[in-house]
Amino acid sequence: MKILISTLFAIASTAAFALPNAPFNALKMDLNQAPDNYDYEGIIKLSNCSGSLIKFAGQPSSSNAYVLTNGHCLGRPFLKPGEAVVNKPTSRSMKVANSAGKYFRVQARELVYGTMTGTDSAIYELVETYDDIAKLGIEPLDFDASRPYAGMPIEVISGYWERGYSCSIDGFVYKLEEAGWTWNDSIRYSEPGCDTIGGTSGSPIIEKGTRVVVGINNTSNESGKRCEMNNPCEVSSNGDVEVKAGYSYGQQTYNFYSCLTADFRIDTTMPGCELVKP
């Protein structure tokens, strides 16, 4: 198993980082990595990505549970720039981990929201409720309503790879552009520490020492190219473009609260909603 894991990591490290296909179907393989110092409770394993079991502040435990991942983890063809999907029935299997890193299968029944514009984020609604999942000894992570701050110590925990990364928020990017997609106020990680690879897409960005999700991991600049696939570029408010080879990025998620209804649905027609409308 250790030889297989090493081989898979070698494949991923020579492949592109976040947006391309991950190197294997994670639902068909449990890596059974040796325990590390990260808390995997509520971490999600998708076939091609990672994710997290999240709960909005005040959401009842009897609610059908929500899973956060990237918009680009919805699969190919990718959502187009400016495109969003809301309340789409679906059926997608995934697995959720307990604190010991043991994974249990759960099932999505609806894509509540997904986009690759402004943020690269998606929320699935599961068949299971939070109470159902609690019977497995698993509680959700809290979904933060506040924007994170520069210097915040963070962890990026991947269900796909069953491994975690630790660093801090280096700063924020006015606009991050990659192959036609644009993400606003992107989170840049400090280096080294969070040098993420393919399959870590959708991993939650967690404030270290807490169970609070403050953002979502989505991409890295692989080879220093300018604004191309797997090579995002940073664009300042005055239009200056900068390329930071090897740096990894995440996206904001607190803006979901600006579109949240009293019954914990996403309504992009709400006044002040900051998410892209379908």
Side-chain angles (χ1 to χ4, degrees), residues 46-115:
L46 298 167
S47 60
N48 61 337
C49 283
S50 302
S52 56
L53 183 73
I54 55 102
K55 187 178 180 184
F56 287 99
Q59 192 173 2
S61 62
S62 57
S63 301
N64 291 83
Y66 283 159
V67 165
L68 176 71
T69 189
N70 283 148
H72 79 256
C73 292
L74 302 180
R76 294 174 184 258
F78 291 140
L79 295 173
K80 298 176 182 177
E83 185 178 4
V85 180
V86 178
N87 300 333
K88 180 181 178 180
T90 190
S91 179
R92 184 173 187 181
S93 294
M94 52 190 75
K95 293 181 179 179
V96 60
N98 64 13
S99 59
K102 180 180 179 181
Y103 286 82
F104 300 85
R105 192 172 291 271
V106 291
Q107 187 78 23
R109 70 176 190 177
E110 182 178 288
L111 176 59
V112 176
Y113 182 86
T115 191

Side-chain angles (χ1 to χ4, degrees), residues 141-203:
L141 290 95
D142 295 324
F143 198 39
D144 203 351
S146 301
R147 180 180 181 272
Y149 59 86
M152 175 186 283
I154 57 171
E155 295 177 338
V156 178
I157 304 178
S158 168
Y160 183 95
W161 283 111
E162 301 176 25
R163 64 163 294 185
Y165 302 80
S166 183
C167 61
S168 63
I169 294 178
D170 181 61
F172 301 95
V173 181
Y174 179 71
K175 290 188 182 297
L176 193 70
E177 294 188 1
E178 179 172 347
W181 291 284
T182 300
W183 303 305
N184 303 327
D185 194 25
S186 299
I187 300 166
R188 185 200 309 117
Y189 308 147
S190 64
E191 288 292 333
C194 291
D195 37 4
T196 53
I197 59 177
T200 64
S201 290
S203 298

